[in-house]
Amino acid sequence: GRRRRKNSKRRLASIKENYGDLSNEYDVKCLYLREEPNVIIHLAGNPLVRLNEENPTKILDDNIKSTQLLCHHAPKDALVVFASTAVVYGDYKAGTKVACCEYDRCEPTSVYAATKLCSENIVNTYTAMGRIRGVNLRIGAIVGSGATHGVTYDLVNKLKSNTEQLELLGAKPGSCKPYLHVDDLVKAIELFIEKNVYTGTY
């Protein structure tokens, strides 16, 4: 829908960083009471694709429970932007799929991807209930300064350690991924929020 709001030309207010355990209901309630946000950017989560065998359910709390609590206790009509992932579509097989579309079928092949898809459904459900205005952003692999892991980061380190031979992943499933620079992601999120908050379009 489209709604006009007063002061639609107003710029985004400063974004505050807060720390706490988002899988802890008390922490989430305190966060909202303290800040009273009208926009929540949910970037927190467990990014590990490999399951932690010592504590295999931790990723459920980190990703699913935290999303549910953030949506459940969010102020009425708050805009909740959830950082999902392109891996909800499944593995990218070289030569068979070079791009993905938001309408493609989701076929998670890891517990991480499954938790992200489940979290998307939680955001959608709370939006359908009229509690929040939620949106899911399926983000590709992020590259840029400050990266500590990832295919590109690992390849650069391999090349630095051995300039004569470079080991690649080849055509294995998952070796072909979409990439996005972190600066472009930040700009996209800022523009999306500004449009949705100050014009009421979503």
Side-chain angles (χ1 to χ4, degrees):
R2 180 179 293 271
R3 298 193 306 254
R4 299 300 298 178
R5 295 187 180 188
K6 295 180 180 179
N7 302 320
S8 61
K9 294 183 180 180
R10 181 177 53 176
R11 306 303 295 176
L12 283 173
S14 61
I15 297 175
K16 297 181 180 180
E17 293 183 8
N18 288 275
Y19 298 89
D21 182 358
L22 295 183
S23 65
N24 181 296
E25 189 167 18
Y26 177 79
D27 283 2
V28 173
K29 286 181 177 181
C30 288
L31 170 65
Y32 284 150
L33 286 173
R34 184 170 62 248
E35 300 298 339
E36 298 181 342
N38 65 334
V39 176
I40 297 106
I41 307 172
H42 182 14
L43 300 172
N46 188 330
L48 298 179
V49 174
R50 294 178 181 175
L51 191 62
N52 179 352
E53 295 297 341
E54 294 180 2
N55 190 356
T57 61
K58 185 177 187 303
I59 195 171
L60 304 182
D61 282 346
D62 291 343
N63 293 351
I64 299 175
K65 186 177 179 182
S66 64
T67 303
Q68 190 272 330
L69 289 175
L70 284 172
C71 291
H72 186 79
H73 295 291
K76 182 81 164 74
D77 292 327
L79 177 64
V80 177
V81 181
F82 173 62
S84 187
T85 172
V87 301
V88 297
Y89 297 113
D91 291 331
Y92 287 78
K93 299 179 180 178
T96 62
K97 193 171 186 179
V98 295
C100 61
C101 168
E102 65 180 295
Y103 301 110
D104 286 349
R105 181 176 177 175
C106 294
E107 299 177 298
T109 55
S110 67
V111 174
Y112 165 73
T115 64
K116 286 295 190 175
L117 187 56
C118 181
S119 295
E120 287 187 18
N121 287 325
I122 289 171
V123 172
N124 292 340
T125 299
Y126 274 89
T127 299
M129 292 165 58
R131 300 274 292 269
I132 63 171
R133 294 182 298 130
V135 64
N136 301 304
L137 303 181
R138 291 176 177 165
I139 303 167
I142 300 298
V143 295
S145 61
T148 59
H149 68 283
V151 176
T152 303
Y153 181 87
D154 293 338
L155 286 179
V156 171
N157 283 342
K158 287 178 182 178
L159 189 57
K160 286 180 178 179
S161 64
N162 185 352
T163 58
E164 300 296 324
Q165 185 176 8
L166 177 61
E167 178 187 359
L168 296 175
L169 294 177
K172 294 181 180 179
S175 60
C176 180
K177 298 180 179 180
Y179 287 93
L180 180 66
H181 195 277
V182 65
D183 291 344
D184 293 327
L185 173 61
V186 171
K187 289 177 183 177
I189 292 176
E190 288 177 344
L191 288 171
F192 177 85
I193 292 172
E194 187 167 359
K195 177 180 179 181
N196 281 268
V197 171
Y198 301 128
T199 69
T201 303
Y202 56 93

